[in-house]
Amino acid sequence: MWSDLEREVMKRALAEAQRGYPSPNPHVGAAVVRGQHVLSVGHHKRAGEAHAEVDAIRNAGESVEGATLFVTLEPCNHRGRTGPCTEAIIDAGLARVVIGCRDPAPHVAGAIERLRSVGIQVDVGLMQAECTALIADFAKHIRTGLPFVVLKAAVTLDGKLATRSGDSKWITGEEARAEAHRMRDQSDAILVGVGTVLSDDPQLTVRRVGGRDPIRVVLDADLRTPPGAAVLDPNGRSEAGTLVFHAADTDSARPDHFMSKGVELVAVSRHQRGVDLTQVLERLGERGLVRLLVEGGAHVHGSFLDFGLADRAAIFIAPRIVGDGGAPSFAAGEGVESIERATRLVRTEFQALGPDWLVSGDFERTQ
């Protein structure tokens, strides 16, 4: 049904979609084509700014009348912070629109019908799987109000996060660590448990690649994070804030050093493992945070798995072996008693990064 040229154009639109920081809106890319020639590409840069379709039309630098627009996501058909893209498409005189996937947001309904009503040819479903995967985080947030949760870790071949003494620098090489920082840049928030703060004192900022810092989130039921922790104020250079989730019954006389650094404390219910993770995700979702990168440690990963709250895994595997049963593994939850019940990844991807591998995929039980 689809030609090689059409697929190549949509691939360009998908690549373009990865640019920008549109959250809580979805990543969307577009391309304008006349005959065999791509006139322009565009993407949605930030919420409140031009959508990908409008950006591509503007970038053409000439009339696009009679041309074809390729767009990864169904155009919007409502007026929000910007005007409806359907009307911009009509005004531009485009003859055809090729759409990757439909928009899960209910207020978008009617876009395809609107375009067809004025004689524009609309075709839907080109590289639908890839376009749907692109907006998986947005779709979950629209459907549930919760952020899309990615569990990320660097482990050895025997699945260890560190040695028994806690040494983990560095399990993976430069290429893998740069990719991990790209993941931070693509996330709205990054989460760790207080155990990771106490053992590693992470900054949770983007440093190895160009980009912007995500909001830092710490799970700290009893407010044990020390005043000098880097996550509270990483050298004063990050514009991103820090949220510390603690148990509501924690002694309220203890948070002075948090408040002095401008850290926001958020009280949620206590759980036997710390804080109630569902409530944490609800609070993050209410703030419009769509994509959450969870960097551990082992007990945090285990809890997200046990409660079925993780959507995707991104695990960097290094060709090293610790060989110590007492060293911490990727996840330390309740686990399962049989391999048959083990959590599986589907739609898996494998990427070589120097000597290391990135294995990623969606958790089957969250689908």
Side-chain angles (χ1 to χ4, degrees), residues 11 80 89 179 209 232 240 252 269 282:
K11 286 180 182 178
I89 291 169
E179 180 62 25
V209 297
L232 300 183
S252 60
S269 298
E282 290 172 348

Side-chain angles (χ1 to χ4, degrees), residues 8-9 11 95 107 110 119 152-153 155 157 172 185 199 203 226 231 237 272 279 287 293 311 313 315 349 356 359 364:
E8 286 303 314
V9 173
K11 286 180 182 178
H107 56 262
K152 172 259 170 184
V155 301
L157 279 177
T172 54
D185 170 54
S199 62
Q203 295 182 51
V231 72
R237 292 197 294 263
Q272 61 182 358
Q279 289 187 19
R287 295 168 181 262
L293 186 66
D311 299 288
I315 304 175
E349 300 173 358
D356 309 309
V359 179
E364 186 178 42

Side-chain angles (χ1 to χ4, degrees), residues 22 83 107 110 122 147 153 155 159 168 174 195 245 312 358:
H107 56 262
V122 180
V155 301
S168 61
E174 290 289 339
F245 284 86
R312 188 169 178 83
L358 170 60

